[in-house]
Protein backbone atom coordinates (compact mmCIF):
# COMPACT_ATOMS: atom_id res chain seq x y z
CA UNK A 1 0.00 0.00 0.00
CA UNK A 2 1.51 3.26 -1.08
CA UNK A 3 -0.65 5.48 1.10
CA UNK A 4 -1.29 3.45 4.23
CA UNK A 5 -2.65 5.10 7.34
CA UNK A 6 -0.29 5.90 10.20
CA UNK A 7 -1.34 5.03 13.72
CA UNK A 8 0.08 6.68 16.82
CA UNK A 9 0.57 4.97 20.18
CA UNK A 10 2.06 6.52 23.31
CA UNK A 11 4.17 4.10 25.34
CA UNK A 12 6.31 4.50 28.45
CA UNK A 13 9.94 3.51 27.94
CA UNK A 14 13.12 3.45 29.98
CA UNK A 15 15.87 5.69 28.69
CA UNK A 16 19.60 6.36 28.68
CA UNK A 17 21.27 9.73 28.35
CA UNK A 18 24.60 10.42 26.67
CA UNK A 19 26.49 13.38 25.26
CA UNK A 20 28.23 12.21 22.08
CA UNK A 21 30.40 15.02 20.72
CA UNK A 22 29.16 17.23 23.59
CA UNK A 23 25.52 17.28 22.48
CA UNK A 24 22.56 15.65 24.30
CA UNK A 25 21.21 12.30 23.12
CA UNK A 26 18.45 10.10 24.49
CA UNK A 27 17.93 6.41 23.81
CA UNK A 28 14.46 5.29 24.86
CA UNK A 29 14.07 1.54 24.89
CA UNK A 30 11.46 -1.05 25.69
CA UNK A 31 9.43 -3.97 24.51
CA UNK A 32 6.59 -3.36 22.08
CA UNK A 33 4.52 -6.25 20.74
CA UNK A 34 7.04 -8.72 22.16
CA UNK A 35 10.03 -7.08 20.43
CA UNK A 36 12.65 -4.72 21.87
CA UNK A 37 12.94 -1.32 20.22
CA UNK A 38 15.59 1.37 20.69
CA UNK A 39 14.63 4.95 19.88
CA UNK A 40 17.72 7.15 19.49
CA UNK A 41 17.20 10.92 19.46
CA UNK A 42 20.05 13.40 19.04
CA UNK A 43 19.57 17.04 19.95
CA UNK A 44 21.06 20.47 19.50
CA UNK A 45 20.14 23.66 21.33
CA UNK A 46 17.82 26.15 19.64
CA UNK A 47 19.69 29.20 18.39
CA UNK A 48 17.75 31.60 20.61
CA UNK A 49 18.82 29.54 23.66
CA UNK A 50 22.57 29.32 22.97
CA UNK A 51 23.23 31.30 26.17
CA UNK A 52 22.31 28.21 28.18
CA UNK A 53 25.78 26.82 27.43
CA UNK A 54 27.34 29.65 29.46
CA UNK A 55 24.70 30.39 32.11
CA UNK A 56 24.48 26.83 33.48
CA UNK A 57 21.03 25.94 32.18
CA UNK A 58 22.38 23.26 29.83
CA UNK A 59 24.29 21.65 32.69
CA UNK A 60 21.05 21.52 34.72
CA UNK A 61 19.30 19.79 31.78
CA UNK A 62 22.12 17.26 31.47
CA UNK A 63 22.12 16.66 35.25
CA UNK A 64 18.33 16.09 35.24
CA UNK A 65 18.55 13.63 32.35
CA UNK A 66 21.52 11.82 33.88
CA UNK A 67 19.77 11.51 37.27
CA UNK A 68 16.54 10.18 35.75
CA UNK A 69 18.25 7.78 33.33
CA UNK A 70 17.36 4.21 34.26
CA UNK A 71 14.98 5.37 37.02
CA UNK A 72 12.19 7.24 35.23
CA UNK A 73 10.20 6.12 32.23
CA UNK A 74 9.38 8.67 29.53
CA UNK A 75 6.57 8.95 27.02
CA UNK A 76 7.45 7.96 23.48
CA UNK A 77 4.96 8.29 20.63
CA UNK A 78 5.38 5.32 18.30
CA UNK A 79 4.28 5.86 14.74
CA UNK A 80 3.00 2.62 13.27
CA UNK A 81 2.70 1.84 9.61
CA UNK A 82 0.92 -1.35 8.59
CA UNK A 83 0.74 -2.27 12.28
CA UNK A 84 4.50 -2.18 12.95
CA UNK A 85 6.53 0.60 14.60
CA UNK A 86 8.11 2.66 11.82
CA UNK A 87 9.12 5.89 13.57
CA UNK A 88 8.85 7.66 16.91
CA UNK A 89 8.77 11.05 18.59
CA UNK A 90 9.85 12.17 22.03
CA UNK A 91 7.92 15.35 22.78
CA UNK A 92 10.26 17.75 24.62
CA UNK A 93 7.25 19.45 26.26
CA UNK A 94 6.18 16.15 27.86
CA UNK A 95 9.78 15.30 28.72
CA UNK A 96 10.21 18.68 30.44
CA UNK A 97 7.08 18.06 32.54
CA UNK A 98 8.09 14.49 33.41
CA UNK A 99 11.53 15.58 34.63
CA UNK A 100 10.40 18.94 36.07
CA UNK A 101 13.06 20.64 33.93
CA UNK A 102 11.41 23.33 31.76
CA UNK A 103 14.64 24.21 29.91
CA UNK A 104 14.45 20.83 28.13
CA UNK A 105 12.05 22.59 25.75
CA UNK A 106 15.14 24.33 24.28
CA UNK A 107 16.31 21.03 22.80
CA UNK A 108 15.84 20.73 19.06
CA UNK A 109 15.81 17.35 17.32
CA UNK A 110 18.85 17.03 15.06
CA UNK A 111 18.69 13.33 14.16
CA UNK A 112 16.99 10.09 15.13
CA UNK A 113 16.72 6.40 14.41
CA UNK A 114 14.47 3.50 15.39
CA UNK A 115 16.27 0.19 15.82
CA UNK A 116 15.32 -3.37 16.80
CA UNK A 117 18.74 -4.05 18.36
CA UNK A 118 20.76 -2.03 20.82
CA UNK A 119 22.98 0.63 19.32
CA UNK A 120 25.52 2.91 20.89
CA UNK A 121 24.59 6.55 21.34
Amino acid sequence: MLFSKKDYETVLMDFRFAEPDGFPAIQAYGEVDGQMYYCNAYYSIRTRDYAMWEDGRYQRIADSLRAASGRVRIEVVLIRKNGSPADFRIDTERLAKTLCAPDIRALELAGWGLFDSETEL
Side-chain angles (χ1 to χ4, degrees):
M1 290 179 119
L2 186 59
F3 298 105
S4 62
K5 181 182 170 201
K6 293 180 183 176
D7 294 310
Y8 299 86
E9 175 186 5
T10 301
V11 297
L12 289 175
M13 291 185 157
D14 293 312
F15 79 96
R16 294 180 187 94
F17 173 70
E19 293 176 286
D21 299 322
F23 288 96
I26 295 172
Q27 180 182 66
Y29 58 94
E31 194 171 303
V32 177
D33 300 334
Q35 165 115 20
M36 282 297 287
Y37 285 95
Y38 299 85
C39 306
N40 294 357
Y42 300 89
Y43 296 94
S44 61
I45 304 297
R46 290 186 183 142
T47 305
R48 70 173 182 250
D49 293 306
Y50 275 177
M52 71 182 353
W53 293 107
E54 284 83 35
D55 66 17
R57 287 183 295 147
Y58 173 74
Q59 191 57 50
R60 286 192 296 275
I61 289 173
D63 292 344
S64 294
L65 288 164
R66 218 175 270 107
S69 180
R71 291 186 327 105
V72 175
R73 298 178 86 189
I74 62 172
E75 290 184 19
V76 177
V77 177
L78 288 179
I79 302 166
R80 292 176 176 268
K81 195 166 184 176
N82 297 326
S84 297
D87 203 357
F88 74 95
R89 294 289 176 260
I90 297 173
D91 183 339
T92 54
E93 186 72 36
R94 290 181 187 171
L95 185 59
K97 287 179 183 176
T98 299
L99 300 180
C100 299
D103 284 324
I104 286 176
R105 292 186 298 246
L107 298 180
E108 186 170 61
L109 189 64
W112 71 95
L114 176 66
F115 304 95
D116 58 6
S117 61
E118 190 169 0
T119 60
E120 190 174 317
L121 282 177

